[in-house]
Amino acid sequence: MGAAIVFVHGLFSSSDTWRDLRAHLSGMPGVAQDFELLSFDYATPRTSVNPLRKMPSLDTVAESLRGYLDDLPTSHERLVFVTHSQGGLVVQRFLSRMLAEGRGWELARIRRVVMFACPNNGSELFLLLRRSLMGVVGINQERELRPLQASVQEAQRRVMTGIVNARYVSNDRCPIPLMLYAGESDKVVSPPSAVSVFPEAAVLPGDHFSVIKPGPDGRLLRAMLGNLEKALLEPFPEESVSGAPTHARSVARGEEFLAEHQLFGPVVVRTGDSTTQFFIHGGPLEQLSGIDIIVSSENIYLQMSQFFKSSTSGSLRRAAAVKGAGGEILDDVAGDSLIAWLRAHARYGLPVLEGTVAPTPSGALIERNIHRIYHAAVVTPVDGTSDYTVNPRAITRATHNIFGLARKERRELGLPLSSVCLPLLGSGRGDITLARSFELVWDALMTELADDSSWNIHFAARRKRSFELLKERLLAKKAEREAQPGNRGRHDAG
């Protein structure tokens, strides 16, 4: 099987706690076909009467979990952790230790972590009942369930920074979706403690233990199936060019650039009550033709890259320029027109609002039947560095603004605009991955095309990796939309 679920139990428990849930999941063809159901056990008895046996700490259990995963078959390309109570802390400690040791790359096959009733902010009940629960001998695992434990908070901080908020994989980070569930009547771990600072969370019926027992309402099973489906579709994280190993950096420097134009499509996708044709272009932007509008990803100062740069902005600036017989620039059409736009809007030398889109003529590209270049401000320079950041909302806003501007120019200037070519906005020098950029652009596109399906949509990618990812994601999106209620049975070309 290509995927596996690893169940991790909590304090004073064992893998038997998952018996009912496993039985239900194993009886579902969609789960049994795609996932192997596994359990990670560790020592956590209520009391210890053996003076020669020491109860393991969470750090020790986390190290044991690493060994367990190392022994799993390599055929498990995707892993999903499903945890209960303290099991969530065990997995967080494992993730934190891996990042601290610079082993973020090894976490890439973990595509989801689902935590039930995890005491992220501790358990007040365990604190109050500690003596009666522990008997005559304390357990160091229990100590970490007390509120505001420093070791738990440190692991949580690293997981938030290096897992939840990560946008690429490197030595010290790896983006993995985390989903947390609280029991609505849980007196052991309150919903605020279970949710804590994590952004993706929900509440399910049940107390601390029944929250993981399938009930007649089916909510637990629906939640599980939704998470498992997402885990199978979740794209593997992209690498950071600066933080990648040497061989990855050498590839990203240019060896994987496509030297000649490649075309994939048309792929016909249902959008609203109609359909839209999608195309994917690989290779140099200078070889594009017959597309009315080409979009360039710019910084919030709307300053284009220099002619010698290999970025989308630099390539389009070079392609739009009017050149002399010796190749010298006679008229920097795109660059000068963009400066003129900034001066007209009193923004030259000042930043514009993220997501702003400015139009310029296409210059020499008109000979290839390209009419306009739209410059989308999505990248923000980081003061004092050569780094850039990208606000995801800027990509969404820019995509909507592109179509708003195109409709306006079509209406007011009488331009015959019907096709738009988009790069993966923000995925160059920004910190947005290729897959994330595609998802943001796609969601905005579906909104625009549902209201106006008169457009043909083109995506452009200069690197082979980006070209292949776009093909994969486009076909997946087509399949998703065909599977939606109301679309089944319709067979579109492409």
Side-chain angles (χ1 to χ4, degrees):
M1 295 182 183
I5 304 171
V6 180
F7 293 94
V8 185
H9 62 77
L11 187 69
F12 309 149
S13 187
S14 70
S15 59
D16 190 57
T17 194
W18 300 107
R19 181 178 54 197
D20 293 346
L21 181 56
R22 285 183 56 139
H24 279 77
L25 292 176
S26 62
M28 296 180 174
V31 177
Q33 177 180 343
D34 294 322
F35 292 93
E36 183 176 359
L37 307 185
L38 306 172
S39 292
F40 170 70
D41 268 305
Y42 60 95
T44 176
R46 182 168 301 192
T47 62
S48 175
V49 296
N50 186 345
L52 302 180
R53 177 175 295 174
K54 177 182 179 182
M55 292 303 102
S57 66
L58 285 191
D59 283 328
T60 302
V61 177
E63 190 63 28
S64 177
L65 177 58
R66 178 194 297 187
Y68 174 85
L69 296 176
D70 288 342
D71 292 336
L72 289 182
T74 56
S75 58
H76 292 141
E77 296 179 352
R78 293 174 179 265
L79 297 179
V80 178
F81 282 115
V82 178
T83 74
H84 177 241
S85 193
Q86 179 183 260
L89 299 183
V90 170
V91 171
Q92 290 184 58
R93 189 65 57 90
F94 160 72
L95 296 173
S96 174
R97 288 169 63 88
M98 292 290 284
L99 296 181
E101 296 173 13
R103 302 177 68 173
W105 300 96
E106 299 177 34
L107 302 176
R109 65 172 175 162
I110 302 172
R111 291 295 81 222
R112 206 160 191 86
V113 177
V114 183
M115 292 186 278
F116 293 96
C118 178
N120 288 298
N121 290 347
S123 170
E124 292 287 350
L125 183 62
F126 276 154
L127 181 64
L128 293 174
L129 302 181
R130 177 173 175 253
R131 286 192 176 88
S132 60
L133 286 173
M134 294 305 104
V136 296
V137 180
I139 296 180
N140 52 20
Q141 290 174 18
E142 177 274 335
R143 297 188 184 100
E144 304 212 42
L145 299 183
R146 303 176 204 171
L148 303 179
Q149 281 295 298
S151 57
V152 173
Q153 289 186 311
E154 172 59 24
Q156 188 179 94
R157 181 197 63 76
R158 186 172 284 119
V159 167
M160 283 295 298
T161 301
I163 299 291
V164 176
N165 294 326
R167 292 173 178 169
Y168 54 83
V169 63
S170 65
N171 294 337
D172 63 350
R173 65 196 61 208
C174 180
I176 301 171
L178 271 65
M179 183 67 198
L180 290 84
Y181 292 98
E184 63 184 9
S185 55
D186 191 342
K187 293 184 65 176
V188 177
V189 177
S190 66
S193 178
V195 172
S196 186
V197 297
F198 294 95
E200 298 293 330
V203 177
L204 291 175
D207 58 27
H208 190 65
F209 296 100
S210 62
V211 71
I212 59 170
K213 305 294 184 183
D217 61 3
R219 287 181 60 184
L220 172 62
L221 291 177
R222 288 196 297 272
M224 281 296 303
L225 291 175
N227 280 286
L228 295 178
E229 181 180 356
K230 290 176 181 178
L232 289 177
L233 297 175
E234 178 70 26
F236 290 103
E238 301 294 330
E239 66 191 23
S240 162
V241 172
S242 60
T246 304
H247 73 278
R249 287 202 303 270
S250 65
V251 170
R253 278 197 299 264
E255 287 86 341
E256 65 168 357
F257 277 110
L258 295 170
E260 296 295 332
H261 177 259
Q262 296 185 27
L263 174 64
F264 179 75
V267 175
V268 180
V269 179
R270 185 156 294 280
T271 51
D273 295 328
S274 187
T275 58
T276 300
Q277 288 190 332
F278 288 81
F279 302 82
I280 300 173
H281 300 265
L285 295 174
E286 297 90 332
Q287 296 181 11
L288 295 177
S289 62
I291 303 171
D292 297 326
I293 303 165
I294 296 184
V295 178
S296 179
S297 181
E298 312 288 6
N299 57 56
I300 60 172
Y301 291 87
L302 287 178
Q303 296 293 312
M304 297 192 75
S305 296
Q306 294 298 316
F307 297 106
F308 54 83
K309 295 287 188 179
S310 61
S311 63
T312 298
S313 179
S315 298
L316 284 176
R317 185 177 187 180
R318 184 169 58 249
V322 177
K323 305 175 186 68
E328 72 277 15
I329 303 297
L330 301 179
D331 186 0
D332 179 13
V333 178
D336 290 345
S337 297
L338 190 53
I339 291 175
W341 185 93
L342 286 165
R343 292 190 185 281
H345 290 78
R347 302 307 299 173
Y348 186 58
L350 298 174
V352 298
L353 180 67
E354 292 176 332
T356 296
V357 178
T360 64
S362 61
L365 285 172
I366 194 64
E367 299 176 4
R368 303 185 67 86
N369 291 319
I370 294 170
H371 297 281
R372 305 292 277 172
I373 299 176
Y374 283 3
H375 305 264
V378 297
V379 181
T380 300
V382 178
D383 289 344
T385 74
S386 58
D387 297 330
Y388 295 82
T389 62
V390 178
N391 183 342
R393 288 190 294 272
I395 295 177
T396 301
R397 190 181 299 122
T399 305
H400 288 300
N401 287 340
I402 287 164
F403 286 89
L405 176 61
R407 287 190 292 268
K408 179 181 179 182
E409 291 203 322
R410 189 164 60 182
R411 180 177 64 252
E412 297 181 358
L413 303 181
L415 296 175
L417 306 176
S418 63
S419 56
V420 180
C421 182
L422 297 148
L424 288 171
L425 295 168
S427 65
R429 297 201 63 185
D431 52 0
I432 293 287
T433 65
L434 303 175
R436 178 64 171 148
S437 173
F438 177 83
E439 292 294 329
L440 292 166
V441 171
W442 182 267
D443 289 345
L445 278 175
M446 291 303 100
T447 300
E448 292 292 335
L449 295 172
D451 295 331
D452 179 6
S453 59
S454 63
W455 302 92
N456 288 332
I457 306 300
H458 301 250
F459 290 106
R462 294 174 298 124
R463 291 191 173 99
K464 184 177 187 299
R465 181 186 62 181
S466 307
F467 183 64
E468 296 299 327
L469 179 140
L470 280 170
K471 290 196 297 183
E472 174 189 330
R473 296 309 300 149
L474 179 57
L475 293 176
K477 291 297 185 183
K478 173 182 171 67
E480 286 178 18
R481 295 191 70 81
E482 289 179 349
Q484 292 176 355
N487 289 338
R488 293 170 183 168
R490 294 171 174 171
H491 299 285
D492 299 325

